[in-house]
Amino acid sequence: MAVTRERQLGDILLDNGVITPIELDEALQRQRVTGEMLGRVLVTMGLCEEQDIVEALGQQAGMERIDIGRLSVSEETLRMLSVDIVRFYNVVPVRLKDNVLTVAMADPMNISVLDDLRQITGCEIAGAISNQEAITKFIEDNYSYQADSIHQTLEDLIAHTGDSELTLEETGTHELISNEDNLIELAQEPEVIKIVNLVLLEAVQKRGSDIHFEVYEEDFRIRIRVDGVLQEVVSPPKHMALAIVSRCKILSNMDIAERRLPQDARIELKVGDSIIDIRAATLPTLYGENFVMRILDQTAVRVDLNQLGFPEDVLKKIHTTIQKPNGIFLCTGPTGTGKTTTLYACINELNHEGVKIITTEDPVEMQFDQIIQVQVKEDIGLTFAYCLRSILRQDPDIILVGEIRDLPTAHIAVEASLTGHIVLSTLHTNSAPETITRLLDMELEPFLITSSLEAVMSQRLARVICRHCREPYRPDDEEMDTLGVPHKWRKDPNLRMFRPKGCPACDYMGYLGRSSLVEFLEVDEPVKDMILSQATAHEIRDHARKYQGMRTMREEGIIACVRGKTSPEEVITHTDRYI
């Protein structure tokens, strides 16, 4: 029997008139040297566009090319997929014939989409290739969409499945979950797929950072963390917990049958036209497995120092510090206050052809082109200190250390700075001056701190008050005392601050996004003398405020309140007042 030879990507591009035979030959020669995929080589050489490669890959997979802008699609076909499914999978239905639904897609390599749609619709699914711009326009022209439609669809879906065949009878539960095949079958129920997809879509739409699937004795609820605050999305019936968590484990490539030990994983998912990076983790509890997804939308994360909301004077000091030929710059604060994002923005600015940047992180939260990133693995002995020693042998110019956790890591970071490297890192301290005492508590010698440390910035994230619905008011004396408003400001009869109200623009939360509150401590000569004499954090803070013009995070917060950027409640919650 004759074997059909798969058409090569280069041949398809030639037939499509995208490249010439000479250009293909040049690309193949470079591919033999670099070892990269041919499509990536062609794009890098500027011989074709990404969309040309996508369409060629679709043809290679046997998909037809469709110009959906010229198609007339029937209402029956459009109704085969809801607006939320269309937006989540970034596909559009274009033809329904003999129980075969043809969908146009921009990514022909995402075959799992076709499998999911087959489960959801009950039809056979055929993929066709189109371009992203045409798909986006088709959705806008043919599907109405309201901001609350996802949540309403979820509520309707939960209500519909409440008495469905998905319900697990108590007597049969143990037999069902003991079989991995049954678990997989349960996780592939159309209702379960829809619920998980809609929750992911809502998290992306709301700019959520985490999704929590939580199992209790009598309840099961799903919450999304938005701007640092958990919001309940929906509470499915308790009997759906096993199926929904199993679906999440399948998406995360976890062992679906392992429910006694915690698991963690890292995956990439395409939600609509966004690629999101997910760190997933399970936790066995008394009443079942909890599942948490931490979301990093690569298209939404801002890694530009000029766009992180820092005051102009602080921004200027950051630029000056990271441009020095050597030294340590520390960014401090509790977990979840934007430290890593700040350091990513720093290395993004420093990244150019003339320098070599290496990072060691736990975990690697965002991937960069032309930057070498190393994942710490404590369980096999690959610690920050071990990585850092090896990095120094790789001739770097700039080093990012995810966190200085112990004295060995601190010592090597100092050594790196003293041998001509810029070192960026984080530390868990409450304020910039307290970072000095923390390093001393770690038994790092004072002279090593003064010879290597250039600056410390401590930061918090406060929610930004919604400009569409904020209400101006004059705080009373008690609130101004609690906040620490300067007495000379209180004499101003026009003093106004703002409080949240809630409107459709902010999903009735009163806040929309978060912004940094920072304090920046320069390690100048007087501060170095204070370190050598082991001065207190309070004394260092007083010097910095008096002679460097440093504002504490609480003082930055008061200014932000007066400017209408955030509310007094947020500032009081996230910052300390130093007398």
Side-chain angles (χ1 to χ4, degrees):
M1 186 174 80
V3 177
T4 303
R5 178 178 171 270
E6 183 184 77
R7 293 181 68 199
Q8 297 297 309
L9 180 65
D11 295 334
I12 297 173
L13 292 168
L14 284 174
D15 292 344
N16 291 347
V18 175
I19 58 175
T20 65
I22 293 176
E23 290 171 335
L24 175 59
D25 186 57
E26 290 175 354
L28 289 171
Q29 289 184 42
R30 178 175 292 192
Q31 183 194 27
R32 283 191 284 270
V33 175
T34 64
E36 294 181 299
M37 301 293 288
L38 178 60
R40 176 54 51 198
V41 172
L42 288 164
V43 172
T44 302
M45 293 176 67
L47 298 177
C48 65
E49 301 293 330
E50 291 275 3
Q51 185 60 36
D52 297 322
I53 302 299
V54 167
E55 293 187 8
L57 290 170
Q59 290 177 261
Q60 192 178 48
M63 295 183 182
E64 62 177 310
R65 290 202 310 187
I66 288 183
D67 183 357
I68 58 176
R70 298 184 178 183
L71 289 181
S72 176
V73 182
S74 69
E75 283 295 323
E76 179 190 9
T77 303
L78 289 174
R79 286 197 301 270
M80 290 298 297
L81 298 178
S82 69
V83 58
D84 299 306
I85 295 299
V86 163
R87 286 179 178 270
F88 180 85
Y89 288 109
N90 197 36
V91 300
V92 292
V94 295
R95 187 188 307 128
L96 178 63
K97 183 178 181 182
D98 298 330
N99 203 42
V100 176
L101 178 66
T102 301
V103 296
M105 56 199 302
D107 183 4
M109 306 307 292
N110 198 355
I111 304 301
S112 62
V113 167
L114 306 182
D115 294 333
D116 283 357
L117 293 178
R118 190 175 296 111
Q119 293 283 342
I120 291 170
T121 63
C123 297
E124 289 300 313
I125 305 295
I129 195 68
S130 184
N131 64 71
Q132 183 58 60
E133 292 76 12
I135 288 174
T136 300
K137 187 175 187 307
F138 187 94
I139 294 173
E140 291 174 353
D141 292 345
N142 292 277
Y143 287 90
S144 60
Y145 183 78
Q146 288 82 35
D148 61 349
S149 65
I150 302 176
H151 187 79
Q152 187 58 54
T153 304
L154 269 171
E155 294 286 359
D156 294 344
L157 191 56
I158 294 298
H160 173 72
T161 57
D163 299 318
S164 72
E165 295 178 0
L166 196 63
T167 303
L168 303 179
E169 295 295 337
E170 194 66 36
T171 56
T173 301
H174 296 294
E175 288 78 11
L176 178 64
I177 64 176
S178 64
N179 188 312
E180 184 175 344
D181 291 337
N182 286 335
L183 272 177
I184 294 173
E185 183 179 345
L186 192 65
Q188 290 179 338
E189 288 285 339
E191 292 85 357
V192 174
I193 294 174
K194 288 179 183 177
I195 290 170
V196 174
N197 290 349
L198 288 171
V199 169
L200 279 165
L201 183 59
E202 180 154 17
V204 172
Q205 295 279 355
K206 286 186 170 183
R207 303 165 292 102
S209 60
D210 302 85
I211 307 173
H212 294 243
F213 299 85
E214 302 169 328
V215 184
Y216 301 94
E217 183 177 10
E218 301 292 339
D219 303 306
F220 174 52
R221 66 176 178 175
I222 302 173
R223 298 193 289 174
I224 297 174
R225 190 179 295 280
V226 180
D227 295 333
V229 178
L230 282 169
Q231 302 176 14
E232 187 159 331
V233 180
V234 69
S235 295
K238 173 68 183 295
H239 65 255
M240 296 187 70
L242 180 63
I244 290 174
V245 170
S246 295
R247 174 63 183 171
C248 292
K249 290 167 77 172
I250 287 175
L251 285 175
S252 305
N253 298 320
M254 290 183 180
D255 182 353
I256 193 172
E258 177 56 74
R259 297 185 303 280
R260 300 166 301 171
L261 296 174
Q263 298 184 66
D264 58 78
R266 178 170 182 160
I267 55 167
E268 273 190 1
L269 286 180
K270 193 161 187 180
V271 178
D273 57 357
S274 297
I275 295 177
I276 60 173
D277 189 62
I278 290 180
R279 295 209 314 269
T282 66
L283 180 67
T285 71
L286 191 61
Y287 302 110
E289 279 187 292
N290 280 8
F291 196 96
V292 174
M293 290 180 169
R294 169 150 288 189
I295 299 172
L296 182 65
D297 185 347
Q298 303 278 10
T299 61
V301 175
R302 293 172 295 180
V303 288
D304 185 339
L305 274 174
N306 300 307
Q307 296 181 4
L308 294 181
F310 297 138
E312 282 299 320
D313 59 332
V314 172
L315 188 60
K316 185 177 180 180
K317 290 177 180 179
I318 296 173
H319 283 298
T320 301
T321 301
I322 65 176
Q323 293 293 343
K324 291 184 177 182
N326 59 276
I328 298 175
F329 173 48
L330 292 178
C331 192
T332 75
T335 300
T337 53
K339 302 186 298 297
T340 301
T341 300
T342 297
L343 294 187
Y344 277 164
C346 289
I347 63 171
N348 192 49
E349 177 162 316
L350 295 170
N351 188 19
H352 58 81
E353 187 177 350
V355 300
K356 181 172 183 176
I357 301 175
I358 306 181
T359 77
T360 174
E361 306 170 62
D362 184 22
V364 175
E365 294 191 14
M366 189 173 186
Q367 298 174 24
F368 290 85
D369 290 333
Q370 311 303 319
I371 289 178
I372 300 166
Q373 296 174 271
V374 182
Q375 169 73 55
V376 166
K377 297 179 181 177
E378 299 268 1
D379 55 334
I380 62 171
L382 191 59
T383 62
F384 278 115
Y386 192 95
C387 282
L388 201 44
R389 285 192 194 94
S390 300
I391 286 171
L392 288 175
R393 302 188 193 105
Q394 295 292 313
D395 188 30
D397 298 291
I398 300 163
I399 302 169
L400 187 153
V401 184
E403 182 185 346
I404 294 179
R405 293 178 178 173
D406 50 35
L407 184 59
T409 307
H411 268 301
I412 303 168
V414 169
E415 178 188 336
S417 71
L418 294 177
T419 53
H421 303 87
I422 301 170
V423 180
L424 311 176
S425 190
T426 71
L427 203 63
H428 289 287
T429 60
N430 290 325
S431 68
E434 288 176 76
T435 303
I436 306 297
T437 55
R438 171 73 179 117
L439 292 172
L440 291 170
D441 289 342
M442 292 172 64
E443 299 183 353
L444 189 64
E445 293 86 345
F447 75 90
L448 290 178
I449 299 174
T450 58
S451 59
S452 60
L453 188 61
E454 293 293 335
V456 180
M457 186 174 77
S458 190
Q459 67 183 77
R460 300 290 187 278
L461 291 177
R463 288 185 292 174
V464 175
I465 200 164
C466 178
R467 291 186 172 274
H468 300 283
C469 62
R470 63 183 184 179
E471 291 181 331
Y473 76 106
R474 182 179 177 85
D476 57 30
D477 290 340
E478 182 180 354
E479 187 172 15
M480 286 195 280
D481 285 339
T482 303
L483 193 58
V485 177
H487 287 286
K488 62 180 180 181
W489 289 20
R490 303 186 194 190
K491 297 177 182 178
D492 184 355
N494 296 317
L495 176 67
R496 293 289 184 274
M497 294 187 183
F498 296 81
R499 56 191 168 204
K501 182 179 178 182
C503 68
C506 60
D507 200 20
Y508 298 96
M509 295 300 295
Y511 298 94
L512 196 60
R514 290 193 290 177
S515 184
S516 297
L517 301 177
V518 301
E519 60 186 32
F520 194 97
L521 172 67
E522 299 172 84
V523 184
D524 55 16
E525 289 303 322
V527 170
K528 289 180 180 180
D529 291 338
M530 297 177 81
I531 294 172
L532 291 172
S533 62
Q534 299 196 20
T536 66
H538 181 74
E539 292 170 331
I540 296 173
R541 182 181 298 108
D542 285 347
H543 165 82
R545 292 175 70 187
K546 186 175 182 179
Y547 296 104
Q548 294 183 6
M550 184 187 87
R551 296 180 297 275
T552 66
M553 286 178 284
R554 174 59 64 91
E555 289 167 336
E556 285 285 357
I558 294 171
I559 294 171
C561 288
V562 173
R563 290 176 175 172
K565 195 171 185 179
T566 190
S567 68
E569 180 184 8
E570 279 293 292
V571 173
I572 292 168
T573 299
H574 294 291
T575 65
D576 295 319
R577 180 183 174 186
Y578 297 104
I579 306 300

